[in-house]
Amino acid sequence: MNSNDLDERVAVVAGGSKGAGLATARLLREAGARVVSIARTAPETADVAFVPADLSTFEGVKASSEAVAGLVGVPDILVHVVGGSRSPAGG
């Protein structure tokens, strides 16, 4: 993506605080989008808005959607990169 390709666009990255989600949020920001990250922990970068929420629960989804709507209205882009597992380590 070229810089400014996404000017005037709002992107929401669910799971955007680390790993692939954080990388995605950064790329969207570099392309000019206004980015909101939703995650349980704050992202390592300060150039995106952050909504703390656990998206594995109904309450977390509801609260985060209301928070995003209050911050930016209806987003243009939604990226879902939420991951995780409750399986024990080692397989």
Side-chain angles (χ1 to χ4, degrees):
M1 278 184 246
N2 294 324
S3 181
N4 302 327
D5 281 352
L6 298 178
D7 279 354
E8 306 291 322
R9 304 293 176 129
V10 175
V12 173
V13 181
S17 65
K18 50 188 163 179
L22 178 59
T24 301
R26 286 179 173 160
L27 284 172
L28 288 165
R29 183 68 201 111
E30 289 171 8
R34 180 175 176 197
V35 178
V36 179
S37 175
I38 304 170
R40 290 180 297 185
T41 58
E44 300 167 355
T45 183
D47 62 347
V48 300
F50 173 62
V51 173
D54 182 350
L55 296 176
S56 69
T57 68
F58 173 80
E59 295 80 13
V61 172
K62 185 175 187 294
S64 65
S65 65
E66 291 169 353
V68 167
L71 282 172
V72 295
V74 177
D76 301 296
I77 302 163
L78 174 62
V79 181
H80 186 274
V81 195
V82 175
S85 172
R86 292 194 173 112
S87 298

